[in-house]
Amino acid sequence: MENELLLLQGAMGIELDVYIESLTEVEELEFNGFLFWKGRLAGKSVVISKTEMGVLNATIATMTAIEQFRPDYVINQGTAGGHVEDIHTNDIVIAQKAEYLNSLIMPEKKEGEGSDSLLWFFDKKIPAMEADESLIQYFQKEEYKQGNLLTGTIGTGDIFSREADRIHWIHQEKDNLCEDMETYAVYQVCQRLQVPCVSIRVISNNELLGESFDRNSARVLQKHILKCIQDR
């Protein structure tokens, strides 16, 4: 990443504050209603992007950033909710693959027949999106001591799953380790515009285990990614 421009994304302020605090030669910019901070981070040229939450915001923010700044790489990062029992708060998932969770088809039901959401199914025509392999390997190399460092699938949708049966069903269908609201959108934009990207997510909560949202997990992830950037 030496002498190249890195686009570093997060949806919320708590997912970006460590980076912004560490940024030098800062220039704050706004395009299409989205905030960007351009500067130097750990000796590297970076643009920090606040995408806001959700698939649509992530799509527009990523397209805007690529058009305005022409980054060489995109790192999307932030928090995610765990979808399996053996993943805990502060574990990190490198998203080798992203699955789309909004593409639901519902069985035909007449008025008054009721609905069983576990009979819904995903549209098989919606493809999974994959990260850049070299970026996956880049972030696999750094030691992480705050939890487990995993590589796998992330599910993305404009949802916040808290129902255990539903979480189990999504995992059964998509084999995802966790759920967020932005990764799939970023991967799709970057694939179309041919910009290498990877998403890295820290587990901030796991409804299956009764682990409630821990906002400090976002800082844990930022410090780890900052160390990765510094060391390589």
Side-chain angles (χ1 to χ4, degrees):
M1 295 182 181
E2 203 69 41
N3 301 319
E4 295 175 314
L5 180 63
L6 169 65
L7 176 65
L8 190 55
Q9 299 176 307
M12 303 182 289
I14 62 169
E15 297 174 340
L16 295 173
D17 52 8
V18 172
Y19 303 132
I20 294 172
E21 291 164 6
S22 305
L23 201 62
T24 61
E25 303 174 31
V26 185
E27 182 181 7
E28 185 173 333
L29 302 161
E30 183 175 337
F31 297 104
N32 293 337
F34 293 95
L35 292 175
F36 301 91
W37 294 263
K38 187 177 182 180
R40 303 282 293 177
L41 187 66
K44 309 294 195 302
S45 296
V46 302
V47 172
I48 297 171
S49 166
K50 186 178 181 182
T51 67
E52 306 293 346
M53 293 174 62
V55 172
L56 184 57
N57 280 330
T59 299
I60 299 171
T62 304
M63 291 187 69
T64 297
I66 291 174
E67 290 174 353
Q68 292 291 334
F69 302 105
R70 304 295 179 187
D72 296 285
Y73 304 98
V74 176
I75 297 174
N76 177 270
Q77 56 84 60
T79 57
H83 270 215
V84 291
E85 286 92 343
D86 56 353
I87 194 168
H88 294 272
T89 301
N90 288 338
D91 286 348
I92 287 176
V93 177
I94 302 171
Q96 184 173 31
K97 186 166 70 171
E99 291 275 5
Y100 192 50
L101 302 184
N102 286 348
S103 58
L104 288 164
I105 300 174
M106 301 166 197
E108 183 179 351
K109 290 281 188 178
K110 295 180 180 179
E111 186 175 350
E113 289 184 344
S115 176
D116 181 354
S117 65
L118 296 180
L119 297 179
W120 300 358
F121 53 97
F122 288 106
D123 186 347
K124 302 298 184 183
K125 298 190 296 293
I126 306 297
M129 294 289 164
E130 296 190 0
D132 179 79
E133 186 61 34
S134 64
L135 288 176
I136 293 172
Q137 294 175 7
Y138 179 97
F139 285 100
Q140 285 174 331
K141 293 177 182 178
E142 189 71 37
E143 184 181 13
Y144 179 62
K145 297 181 179 180
Q146 301 291 104
N148 295 311
L149 181 62
L150 308 167
T151 301
T153 299
I154 283 180
T156 296
D158 289 318
I159 56 176
F160 186 174
S161 297
R162 303 195 67 187
E163 183 183 341
D165 288 342
R166 189 73 177 167
I167 292 169
H168 285 306
W169 178 83
I170 292 172
H171 173 68
Q172 177 183 325
E173 295 293 315
K174 296 294 190 180
D175 195 30
N176 61 314
L177 296 176
C178 57
E179 168 190 293
D180 75 352
M181 296 184 179
E182 295 84 30
T183 293
Y184 187 94
V186 174
Y187 280 18
Q188 188 172 38
V189 171
C190 287
Q191 184 180 95
R192 284 183 177 271
L193 299 182
Q194 299 183 323
V195 181
C197 71
V198 69
S199 180
I200 304 168
R201 293 282 164 165
V202 65
I203 302 304
S204 57
N205 60 290
N206 190 325
E207 302 296 327
L208 299 175
L209 302 175
E211 295 181 4
S212 58
F213 182 78
D214 182 357
R215 61 186 295 118
N216 187 61
S217 62
R219 293 185 68 86
V220 170
L221 176 62
Q222 289 174 80
K223 290 176 181 179
H224 175 70
I225 291 177
L226 188 56
K227 191 171 188 299
C228 292
I229 296 172
Q230 288 172 331
D231 288 352
R232 302 189 187 283

